[in-house]
Amino acid sequence: MHILMYHRLGGLPGPMSIPLITFTAQMRLLAEGPYRALTVADLHQAVRAGHLPGRNAVLITFDDGYLDTITDALPILDACGLPAAMAVCGGYLSPDTLPRRTPHSSQHFADAAQVLRWRDSGRDVAAHSYTHPALPPLSDAALAWQTAVDHEVLTGLLGEPPALFAYPYGAHDERVREVVARLYPMALATDERHAPHAGRPHVLPRIQVSPHWDLDAFRAALATDADPRTAQHAATQAGHRRIEGP
């Protein structure tokens, strides 16, 4: 299976903003097959069963809880009939707790009501820490606070605890994984050199979708059973072959 990671939409400068026309084409491709789009519950069930779905299974994820995940991505997902998960920071859901400046390309985040709109559309909400620090450098107390308060806020908002955590910046170590595992049955990393495996539910790696990929490159990333870095390399090579020709 593959876990896709998106951040922003709209084709803004930077490596994490996908043009809307590109995102729409990718979602249509996933909807039309032969792919199977998963929910977090599907993934959790597979983890508990001891083996993940095959190559054509895809989990779509969005990090940071940007407002454009609601305004731009959600209508496209609705039109294509696709599930997805959005990882949000509990501290970003209210102007009373939102930091004056966050380490992101946009300071426009979905608030609690908009996150509930996402959830009520049938999509999943994942945790992403309370204010998005890199977790490994934190003290034990700060690490516990960032994960536990986020869990408490999201559980109160959703009425049930999230089953999935996304490490800020994809950064984790053994201590961080142990703390996260006390609260969440699964966690998402980035750019790992191993494929998703049911035996490693707290280091589930994701493919970061590039704004430079055309559909051939996107297909190439999904065509491999290897680790995300290899999948991303395959996509880049496919893009080069298209540009250079036979």
Side-chain angles (χ1 to χ4, degrees), residues 66-87:
Y66 293 112
L67 180 59
D68 58 36
T69 303
I70 305 296
T71 58
D72 296 340
L74 183 55
I76 296 168
L77 293 167
D78 278 340
C80 294
L82 293 171
M86 177 170 63

Side-chain angles (χ1 to χ4, degrees), residues 92-194:
Y92 292 3
L93 301 182
S94 166
D96 296 331
T97 57
L98 179 65
R100 181 171 297 180
R101 185 74 183 173
T102 72
H104 304 293
S105 60
S106 170
Q107 303 303 302
H108 301 290
F109 301 97
D111 62 20
Q114 290 157 335
V115 169
L116 286 176
R117 175 185 166 196
W118 170 271
R119 189 278 308 272
D120 292 344
S121 76
R123 274 84 192 181
D124 295 301
V125 177
H128 202 31
S129 80
Y130 191 67
T131 57
H132 203 282
L135 299 179
L138 297 183
S139 68
D140 289 347
L143 173 60
W145 187 87
Q146 280 286 340
T147 52
V149 175
D150 194 44
H151 186 271
E152 179 181 346
V153 168
L154 293 181
T155 299
L157 176 66
L158 302 171
E160 60 182 359
L164 189 63
F165 184 89
Y167 300 111
Y169 307 105
H172 59 89
D173 57 21
E174 184 176 358
R175 181 180 66 113
V176 168
R177 293 192 297 272
E178 287 177 354
V179 171
V180 167
R182 295 171 195 158
L183 296 170
Y184 303 95
M186 302 177 294
L188 302 173
T190 59
D191 293 341
E192 304 292 325
R193 292 190 178 276
H194 64 270

Side-chain angles (χ1 to χ4, degrees), residues 215-246:
L215 271 186
D216 286 341
F218 187 69
R219 286 191 189 95
L222 296 176
T224 174
D225 286 329
D227 61 274
R229 291 191 186 184
T230 300
Q232 286 161 188
H233 179 72
T236 300
Q237 292 301 107
H240 288 165
R241 286 196 296 271
R242 186 187 65 79
I243 292 169
E244 295 169 0

Side-chain angles (χ1 to χ4, degrees), residues 8 16 35 49 60 74 81 110-111 126 132 149 156 177 204 209 226 238:
R8 300 203 61 202
M16 294 186 176
Y35 305 101
I60 303 163
L74 183 55
D111 62 20
H132 203 282
V149 175
R177 293 192 297 272
L204 293 169
V209 180

